[in-house]
Amino acid sequence: MRFDADKFKEMAKLDFDAAWHEGAKISDVIPLSKKYPRNIIRAAKKHPVAETIQRLREAYLMMGFDEARVPLFIDESEVYKQFGPEASAVLDRVFYLGGLPRPNVGIGKKQLDSISAIIGKTPDAETEENLRKTLHAYKKSEIDGDELTHELASVLKTDDGLVVRIMDEVFPEFRELSPESSRVTLRSHMTSGWFLTLGEIWDKVPLPIRQFSIDRCFRREQEEGPTRLMTYHSASCIIAGEDVSVEDGKAVAAGLLSAFGFTDFEFRPDEKRSKYYVPDTQTEVYAKHPVHGWVEVATFGMYSPHSLAAYGVEVPVMNLGLGVERLAMIEYQSDDVRAMTHPQFFPNNYTDLEIARAVSLKESPKTQKGAEIAEAVAKTARENADAPSPCEFLACDIDFDFGCRVKVYIYEDEENSKLLGPAALNDVFVAEGKVLGLPDTSSYKKQRDKGVNAQISFIEAVANLAAAKIEEAVFYGENGCVDFKMIKVPSEINLKVEPWAMRYITDNNKKIDVRGPVFTAVRWEIEQTECSCGCEDCGCDKD
């Protein structure tokens, strides 16, 4: 809360120690919902793939590579240029692009009668002719598909919604269309785009050319698995120039992977021997990571002259490719690339701290006065927990802002007992995904040490529920009480667990155990301190 700076300056001059102690009074009571761990500042999560791409970009740029974008759509003929006779086998793993053909829609009496029934009027001869022209223009691709509904609505002078119905009921040709494939493929590896790029620039820019691109590739795998996706990212680069050799690949690999903490490298001949590489230059890169040991992370080689010649390129070219997802799996210690890339489709794995943040109060006070009442009730209960019953203690006597005074008591009427039952001082902990109410005793020390404290005790939950009820009662001027017996479920002790955390707990066969005997009660008395005329204790005879 704000404070008077001049007041504190003067107090400090007169009595520094008194001013220092007075400073404690400027802080409001903090509601439990705003305390740790519910109130926490955390860094937003970065996606592993996106973060790995960014680090690779920075590494490439630091090594002097210009960033490029290479073609995504590759005509089938380009694959034959690059792979030669091997192309037919390579094409088995690519996706061909397809689309729906434009239908040839006829308009006869039957169609016109159906249109009339839907729009409630008969198209005249001019409208009929314009309708035919519009459909013909669509067939010739003069009108885009997403514009057709609007164009037809304009011609028929009707609503777009009715046109959608006409297309569905009157022209079944649209529903009966089947996609047809083209000879254009989605890029299955970055090399396809590099050859097209090199053919355009190799003799038009200064040599050597040093470029990189990090982008998606697509492969028609039989199925996706822990280490395979049908779409993945490749971090690829080329160096083109008269003095380029396979040794440049080793240098690039070492420089690139050093940025990720790899400390040693091995270069092993790749047995796959792709035909667009010069024989015996295709090399796998194995890097030693301090945690993961030796891991295959990249491949490089020299482009074959016969493939380069197909694009008119006359200088040596080294190409290196690195699978982004594979590197991210290593960095983030993931054992399933699907779960790492698309975590929304896989079960979440929450920490005990995250679950503890999901444990909160079912009801809590909304005002500062209410928060003060809750704190006072909990404090009084703790101070007198072992008082023999029957007993009653005044927790607070507080003025509300509604012309009334509230006295709040915590009590236990049962004889031969105590103010608080055995479980009233239990604290809520989360341990190994389980939500538990644990007493602060030596018997439960291991569980408390192992778990995360949700910073909510049973008595605090009791006090906050009582304070919330008192806030409501003040509006009506009604005395009341709340009592707590044997607790069996969280709601009986004013606790709730957020739905997402509850789903995680049940899905993973964890449990919530906050049972126990609380056996205490809170009551309140409301006294009006302001009469209806607006004065305080004026003694007037007004009602």
Side-chain angles (χ1 to χ4, degrees):
M1 59 183 289
R2 295 188 67 163
F3 59 88
D4 188 336
D6 291 336
K7 171 185 172 183
F8 273 89
K9 284 181 183 177
E10 293 301 318
M11 289 177 62
K13 289 179 182 177
L14 297 173
D15 188 337
F16 181 85
D17 190 64
W20 181 64
H21 282 89
E22 185 71 16
K25 298 179 181 179
I26 70 166
S27 298
D28 289 336
V29 173
I30 302 172
L32 194 144
S33 61
K34 294 184 178 180
K35 291 182 179 180
Y36 180 88
R38 279 150 296 284
N39 182 19
I40 191 170
I41 298 173
R42 67 173 184 86
K45 293 181 179 178
K46 300 177 181 178
H47 193 285
V49 176
E51 178 64 6
T52 303
I53 287 173
Q54 181 58 26
R55 292 175 63 187
L56 284 166
R57 286 184 69 248
E58 293 171 356
Y60 269 126
L61 292 167
M62 287 292 292
M63 291 192 297
F65 283 80
D66 296 321
E67 190 164 21
R69 284 285 184 267
V70 299
L72 176 63
F73 302 132
I74 309 295
D75 192 272
E76 181 187 80
S77 61
E78 304 296 336
V79 181
Y80 279 97
K81 281 185 183 180
Q82 297 158 20
F83 285 86
E86 189 184 13
S88 56
V90 172
L91 288 168
D92 179 67
R93 68 183 180 181
V94 306
F95 286 100
Y96 280 84
L97 292 175
L100 292 174
R102 298 289 177 99
N104 188 16
V105 181
I107 302 178
K109 185 177 185 306
K110 179 181 177 182
Q111 286 80 9
L112 290 172
D113 289 344
S114 297
I115 292 173
S116 300
I118 292 173
I119 66 175
K121 59 185 177 181
T122 302
D124 56 27
E126 182 181 356
T127 300
E128 181 182 339
E129 181 60 25
N130 288 336
L131 184 60
R132 285 194 173 91
K133 288 181 179 178
T134 301
L135 291 170
H136 186 62
Y138 171 70
K139 170 68 177 176
K140 295 193 300 179
S141 298
E142 295 173 2
I143 296 176
D144 290 334
D146 56 357
E147 298 174 352
L148 180 60
T149 300
H150 175 71
E151 293 294 331
L152 291 176
S154 298
V155 169
L156 295 171
K157 296 181 176 59
T158 190
D159 183 77
D160 284 12
L162 292 179
V163 171
V164 172
R165 184 180 166 192
I166 289 170
M167 293 175 67
D168 183 58
E169 298 179 12
V170 181
F171 302 123
E173 295 91 341
F174 287 99
R175 284 187 284 107
E176 295 168 358
L177 292 175
S178 297
E180 297 176 353
S181 178
S182 69
R183 290 295 181 179
V184 178
T185 72
L186 285 174
R187 176 182 61 209
S188 65
H189 56 317
M190 296 295 285
T191 287
S192 296
W194 282 130
F195 278 116
L196 292 167
T197 300
L198 286 163
E200 291 295 321
I201 67 171
W202 81 273
D203 58 349
K204 299 173 186 173
V205 298
L207 298 177
I209 299 169
R210 299 166 64 89
Q211 292 189 353
F212 79 95
S213 183
I214 305 175
D215 210 343
R216 284 191 179 274
C217 293
F218 303 83
R219 292 198 183 181
R220 195 169 63 91
E221 304 285 359
Q222 294 299 315
E223 63 178 353
E224 294 190 332
T227 60
R228 249 175 232 285
L229 294 174
M230 290 191 183
T231 175
Y232 66 97
H233 291 82
S234 175
S236 180
C237 72
I238 55 166
I239 302 179
E242 295 183 6
D243 298 323
V244 174
S245 73
V246 74
E247 294 299 315
D248 291 296
K250 297 177 182 179
V252 171
L256 191 65
L257 295 170
S258 294
F260 286 81
F262 292 94
T263 55
D264 199 2
F265 306 93
E266 283 189 3
F267 305 106
R268 306 174 187 176
D270 190 342
E271 297 178 357
K272 292 190 290 291
R273 295 168 60 87
S274 300
K275 297 302 183 287
Y276 58 84
Y277 280 137
V278 172
D280 300 325
T281 65
Q282 187 168 337
T283 306
E284 293 177 335
V285 182
Y286 283 79
K288 190 174 184 180
H289 194 277
V291 176
H292 308 294
W294 289 99
V295 183
E296 180 190 350
V297 288
T299 301
F300 65 86
M302 300 295 296
Y303 280 154
S304 174
H306 80 79
S307 295
L308 291 170
Y311 294 89
V313 179
E314 298 179 357
V315 293
V317 179
M318 189 284 300
N319 163 247
L320 179 143
L322 182 151
V324 174
E325 281 77 4
R326 173 168 289 191
L327 183 57
M329 285 180 72
I330 297 168
E331 285 294 291
Y332 288 84
Q333 300 183 32
S334 172
D335 58 3
D336 193 317
V337 68
R338 298 167 299 178
M340 181 191 71
T341 305
H342 303 294
Q344 65 271 34
F345 300 116
F346 291 81
N348 288 307
N349 187 24
Y350 292 111
T351 65
D352 286 347
L353 175 58
E354 289 171 322
I355 297 173
R357 292 179 59 209
V359 181
S360 58
L361 298 176
K362 188 178 178 183
E363 293 188 52
S364 57
K366 304 294 189 298
T367 65
Q368 181 60 33
K369 295 284 188 180
E372 292 173 11
I373 291 172
E375 185 179 69
V377 169
K379 180 181 178 182
T380 304
R382 288 183 181 278
E383 291 174 348
N384 301 280
D386 294 326
S389 62
C391 59
E392 180 178 86
F393 296 91
L394 176 66
C396 61
D397 184 354
I398 188 169
D399 285 320
F400 253 80
D401 298 327
F402 306 106
C404 67
R405 190 176 191 86
V406 181
K407 293 182 179 181
V408 184
Y409 302 86
I410 184 164
Y411 68 97
E412 174 55 58
D413 287 337
E414 184 177 332
E415 295 183 355
N416 302 318
S417 183
K418 296 180 180 179
L419 175 65
L420 300 183
L425 297 181
N426 284 7
D427 297 304
V428 179
F429 275 77
V430 179
E432 298 180 334
K434 296 174 286 190
V435 180
L436 307 171
L438 303 177
D440 189 7
T441 63
S442 58
S443 300
Y444 292 92
K445 186 177 186 306
K446 287 185 178 179
Q447 285 178 282
R448 292 174 68 100
D449 290 345
K450 191 174 183 180
V452 173
N453 193 339
Q455 302 296 331
I456 302 176
S457 66
F458 285 12
I459 193 60
E460 284 176 314
V462 166
N464 276 270
L465 177 60
K469 296 297 183 185
I470 292 169
E471 285 181 335
E472 295 175 8
V474 163
F475 283 101
Y476 305 102
E478 296 178 350
N479 299 334
C481 68
V482 288
D483 61 343
F484 301 85
K485 303 296 184 184
M486 174 63 74
I487 304 303
K488 297 179 181 178
V489 294
S491 59
E492 292 179 345
I493 195 64
N494 192 33
L495 293 175
K496 70 174 183 179
V497 180
E498 295 297 330
W500 59 265
M502 183 67 77
R503 178 63 183 268
Y504 174 81
I505 290 167
T506 55
D507 284 352
N508 289 275
N509 297 317
K510 303 298 183 180
K511 67 177 181 179
I512 298 177
D513 188 354
V514 292
R515 297 172 296 169
V518 172
F519 295 123
T520 196
V522 178
R523 70 178 182 88
W524 57 90
E525 297 175 354
I526 300 175
E527 177 187 348
Q528 295 296 329
T529 59
E530 183 177 307
C531 77
S532 59
C533 71
C535 58
E536 291 189 8
D537 300 323
C538 63
C540 70
D541 58 357
K542 294 182 179 179
D543 291 332

